[in-house]
């Protein structure tokens, strides 16, 4: 995760095999918002999230899906 300014972040991750990607995020570990990026199956993923409140710690998880193996995702709750 890299902050580009106080109201946006860029999240990078890789998958193997190729997959599409989805970021669930929000102010709690219940998330509440989804940011779908990188539709189509690729190895390197980038999701830019804008409009964040700099006074909030956001929770997020990553989910990837490919046509051959189904859905996989991060098992831990992460924050930015």
């Amino acid at each position: 995760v890299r902050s580009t300014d106080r109201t946006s972040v860029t999240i990078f991750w890789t998958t193997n095999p190729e997959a599409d990607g989805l970021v669930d995020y929000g102010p709690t570990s219940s998330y509440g918002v989804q940011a779908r990026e990188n539709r189509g199956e690729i190895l390197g993923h980038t999701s830019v999230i804008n409009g964040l409140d700099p006074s909030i710690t956001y929770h997020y998880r990553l989910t990837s899906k490919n046509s051959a193996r189904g859905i996989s995702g991060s098992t831990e709750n992460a924050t930015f």
Side-chain angles (χ1 to χ4, degrees), residues 8-69:
S8 63
V9 296
T10 303
I11 300 172
F12 304 95
W13 76 100
T14 59
T15 55
N16 187 9
E18 295 176 336
D20 66 3
L22 176 71
V23 179
D24 292 299
Y25 70 97
T28 70
S29 59
S30 296
Y31 312 109
V33 181
Q34 290 186 338
R36 180 169 292 282
E37 295 293 332
N38 306 116
R39 290 182 190 237
E41 296 186 3
I42 58 174
L43 294 173
H45 303 270
T46 303
S47 182
V48 179
I49 301 172
N50 296 301
L52 300 171
D53 181 338
S55 67
I56 295 175
T57 297
Y58 288 89
H59 298 255
Y60 75 97
R61 71 178 171 199
L62 308 172
T63 305
S64 296
K65 179 181 176 185
N66 72 29
S67 58
R69 295 192 180 182

